[in-house]
Amino acid sequence: MSAMALDGLLSKFRVNRPLTRQEMADRLLPGKSCGAEPQNLLGTIRMNSTFLEMRDKFLLVKGLWTFWSLFIFVVFGGLLISMTVIAFFHWPTLPDAKRQELVLSLSLIYAMFIPLILFFWQFRFRKESFRYTHYPIRFNRRTRRVHVFRLDGTVMTEAWEKLFFTLCQNKYGGDDWEVRAHRLAADGRTVLETFALGYRSGRASVNLLGQWEFIRRYMEEGPESVLPLIDHVLDIADRRETWWNGVRMLMASIGNDILMFPL
């Protein structure tokens, strides 16, 4: 799982900074086509003549860090408990020298594994679990406003034309890009807040700008311009994701690789 998939969730986007040269060079204008073919890319939650609601980028990989965190908890937590119980039962039969060795060994093992378990709990498990099921982005073409559901449950609202849309690369490097939108200060150069569209890929991918063009055409030309492109709607607006929706999302994220289907 790419680090960029959760960039903005596990680590926050950089804000209170000036726009970079790369962001200004790769700016996407709402009133101008970028030349890409519009694509839904399993992104639409609901659409009507008033608004288009799209999924956040975290939904595609939601649950993976929870799975790995629970795996760490069970394996290493179980190992620590087992070793402690075994040491407790053998303690009365051990000579003093062996007791000292046992205490030292257990101390070293605890010193190695406890920080790992706490790390996954604090910076992985809690960041993803016990939170909202998804963080939708709503584009209202009548009011010309964009409403972004933040991680803390509040909503950021900004005018469609005032948002600064651009391509952004994974901060860790590599060919991993996504379309992000910045809410700017009055000076037009300082980034106050950032959110990302739901799809990411390599820069050369024909899909990278497809979802942006899908949203742009809806806002500029209306729902009839993109309705034929919607072959699947995510049924998560008022309920949790269904098992079948989860399968569709997983297969899309792994490229329909039959070898990964058991996952």
Side-chain angles (χ1 to χ4, degrees):
M1 176 173 53
S2 167
M4 193 176 195
L6 295 175
D7 189 12
L9 178 66
L10 299 184
S11 59
K12 296 180 179 180
F13 292 124
R14 289 180 57 241
V15 294
N16 298 317
R17 61 171 180 84
L19 291 166
T20 66
R21 290 184 178 180
Q22 175 266 311
E23 288 172 324
M24 290 187 286
D26 289 328
R27 184 178 185 181
L28 301 168
L29 299 175
K32 180 180 179 181
S33 173
C34 64
E37 289 295 321
Q39 298 186 60
N40 177 33
L41 298 170
L42 285 177
T44 301
I45 298 175
R46 51 188 173 185
M47 183 182 76
N48 52 45
S49 60
T50 299
F51 66 82
L52 168 67
E53 191 167 285
M54 303 291 287
R55 68 171 171 86
D56 58 280
K57 71 169 187 172
F58 310 129
L59 184 65
L60 195 63
V61 294
K62 190 174 182 64
L64 287 180
W65 272 120
T66 298
F67 170 80
W68 286 116
S69 296
L70 290 174
F71 179 81
I72 294 294
F73 298 160
V74 171
V75 172
F76 291 102
L79 179 63
L80 291 178
I81 293 173
S82 299
M83 296 182 68
T84 303
V85 170
I86 292 172
F88 176 79
F89 281 106
H90 283 79
W91 185 264
T93 65
L94 297 175
D96 290 341
K98 289 295 184 181
R99 288 181 178 181
Q100 293 179 1
E101 292 180 7
L102 182 59
V103 170
L104 179 60
S105 299
L106 285 177
S107 299
L108 290 174
I109 293 173
Y110 268 80
M112 291 171 56
F113 292 154
I114 290 296
L116 179 64
I117 293 174
L118 292 177
F119 171 81
F120 272 89
W121 168 262
Q122 181 67 25
F123 298 106
R124 294 296 183 264
F125 188 76
R126 288 186 59 196
K127 292 275 188 178
E128 186 179 59
S129 298
F130 310 115
R131 306 189 77 168
Y132 294 96
T133 57
H134 65 291
Y135 305 91
I137 306 168
R138 180 176 292 190
F139 300 86
N140 192 311
R141 63 183 305 269
R142 293 192 184 275
T143 63
R144 310 298 290 174
R145 293 287 187 271
V146 179
H147 309 278
V148 182
F149 195 81
R150 296 189 180 105
L151 300 179
D152 61 3
T154 60
V155 176
M156 183 272 282
T157 299
E158 183 58 280
W160 163 251
E161 286 81 6
K162 287 186 177 180
L163 286 170
F164 188 99
F165 292 93
T166 185
L167 295 179
C168 287
Q169 185 183 24
N170 177 1
K171 67 180 181 180
Y172 300 105
D175 189 25
D176 203 357
W177 293 73
E178 64 190 7
V179 176
R180 293 180 185 172
H182 301 310
R183 181 171 67 89
L184 303 179
D187 61 9
R189 295 181 59 86
T190 304
V191 177
L192 298 179
E193 191 166 355
T194 298
F195 68 92
L197 301 187
Y199 187 82
R200 62 185 180 82
S201 67
R203 176 151 185 148
S205 171
V206 295
N207 296 330
L208 180 60
L209 295 174
Q211 194 171 80
W212 154 252
E213 185 63 18
F214 179 91
I215 295 169
R216 192 201 67 80
R217 289 198 187 183
Y218 170 83
M219 290 294 286
E220 299 298 323
E221 301 174 17
E224 61 279 355
S225 65
V226 295
L227 184 59
L229 303 174
I230 303 178
D231 58 352
H232 182 75
V233 175
L234 298 175
D235 188 16
I236 60 174
D238 302 305
R239 64 174 181 173
R240 293 181 181 275
E241 183 181 68
T242 64
W243 183 85
W244 179 239
N245 257 327
V247 171
R248 290 289 299 268
M249 296 289 283
L250 180 63
M251 295 305 289
S253 66
I254 63 178
N256 292 316
D257 188 345
I258 193 65
L259 296 177
M260 291 293 288
F261 186 76
L263 183 59

